[in-house]
Amino acid sequence: MYGSKLFLNRKKELLSLSIVYHALVVLLSILTLMWKPIRTLDNTQFGGRSKFFTVWNHYINGFSFLTLFLFDIALVLSTNIKKYIKVVELVFTISFTASTIVGILFWGLFFIDRELVLPAELDEIYPWYMNMYQHGMVALFCWIEAISFPHVNTNKYIEYGSVILFNITYIFWNIVCFYMNGVFPYPFQNIISNFELFAFYLFALSLSLLTLWSKRILFHLKFSKQIKID
């Protein structure tokens, strides 16, 4: 059985649930990016809110679930979906890895010392529920998606290359923001040495690739006979 058949053979009930779920996540992504404290970051330093990898994660997550929603609509309309599968899966792969490492790295540093990533003084404008959503629920949405709805692995070299490119692009942007503002976006970056910062970048990239490997294993175990794309 091939990739397109895997999606076409879904029960109508599952497709309906998929449409509602994807639309809900897209709506939450839009509302989050429109939230006033997030928008006010645009008026601070160079890069605005886009200085933060968490916001990059929101961008790619919202775009990913939008493509998934449009893919569902294409299925309802019986559109030829073969040419869309690879793009939809690739975007979801990047979103899945980004949201997972955001959750792991943020909460790992937060529980060591919250001042490293989110100083307590920000609690007045950045409530706990938004913190939980941005650094936890987004990843949970992706894992629910990966476990509950049909997905396939695409070309592994393209997937690994895309994840590496996405992460390296942010690292470059992170450094640009430092040179423009005189400080890094995240507090912990300003108190460690250049060698330690390089080690952190390398660890984060390795974690991304490990997450991607885990995703590919998950999809293979779930759909071992359907991982080939038409």
Side-chain angles (χ1 to χ4, degrees):
M1 186 178 293
Y2 292 84
S4 59
K5 293 182 180 180
L6 171 64
F7 297 100
L8 291 170
N9 289 342
R10 280 193 289 180
K11 294 182 179 180
K12 291 184 178 180
E13 293 80 4
L14 182 60
L15 179 56
S16 298
L17 178 61
S18 177
I19 292 174
V20 173
Y21 180 67
H22 294 154
L24 176 62
V25 176
V26 171
L27 178 60
L28 288 173
S29 296
I30 294 174
L31 292 176
T32 299
L33 292 173
M34 292 177 61
W35 188 55
K36 187 175 180 179
I38 295 295
R39 289 188 288 111
T40 55
L41 293 173
D42 289 335
N43 302 318
T44 55
Q45 298 174 319
F46 173 83
R49 57 180 150 178
S50 297
K51 297 191 304 291
F52 303 101
F53 191 71
T54 298
V55 176
W56 278 45
N57 180 39
H58 276 296
Y59 290 149
I60 190 65
N61 181 261
F63 181 65
S64 174
F65 276 86
L66 177 61
T67 61
L68 288 167
F69 173 76
L70 294 176
F71 188 75
D72 290 337
I73 300 302
L75 284 171
V76 172
L77 299 176
S78 300
T79 304
N80 184 353
I81 64 169
K82 293 181 181 180
K83 56 185 178 182
Y84 303 121
I85 295 177
K86 292 182 180 180
V87 174
V88 171
E89 291 294 347
L90 182 59
V91 175
F92 177 72
T93 293
I94 297 173
S95 176
F96 180 87
T97 55
S99 63
T100 300
I101 66 170
V102 164
I104 294 174
L105 293 177
F106 176 84
W107 291 111
L109 292 169
F110 186 91
F111 286 121
I112 292 173
D113 182 356
R114 67 165 298 173
E115 298 297 317
L116 296 174
V117 285
L118 186 65
E121 64 185 33
L122 295 179
D123 286 350
E124 294 183 3
I125 61 173
Y126 192 81
W128 65 269
Y129 55 83
M130 185 56 68
N131 182 23
M132 293 291 292
Y133 173 75
Q134 287 194 297
H135 301 108
M137 287 302 297
V138 174
L140 182 60
F141 288 150
C142 285
W143 277 92
I144 291 174
E145 171 69 29
I147 294 172
S148 303
F149 300 106
H151 282 278
V152 295
N153 287 319
T154 59
N155 184 286
K156 65 179 180 180
Y157 299 108
I158 294 178
E159 286 194 355
Y160 278 103
S162 298
V163 168
I164 291 173
L165 178 61
F166 183 80
N167 282 273
I168 289 180
T169 301
Y170 175 76
I171 290 173
F172 176 76
W173 175 244
N174 183 260
I175 296 172
V176 168
C177 289
F178 167 74
Y179 279 104
M180 294 299 295
N181 297 320
V183 293
F184 281 104
Y186 293 98
F188 78 91
Q189 293 181 290
N190 297 299
I191 61 175
I192 59 179
S193 67
N194 290 335
F195 175 78
E196 291 171 328
L197 183 59
F198 175 78
F200 175 80
Y201 288 147
L202 187 60
F203 173 75
L205 180 58
S206 299
L207 186 60
S208 294
L209 297 179
L210 179 60
T211 302
L212 172 55
W213 177 79
S214 300
K215 185 227 68 164
R216 292 185 63 85
I217 293 296
L218 173 64
F219 287 178
H220 179 76
L221 292 176
K222 286 186 62 182
F223 309 111
S224 59
K225 295 181 180 179
Q226 298 109 325
I227 60 173
K228 183 177 180 181
I229 302 296
D230 303 65

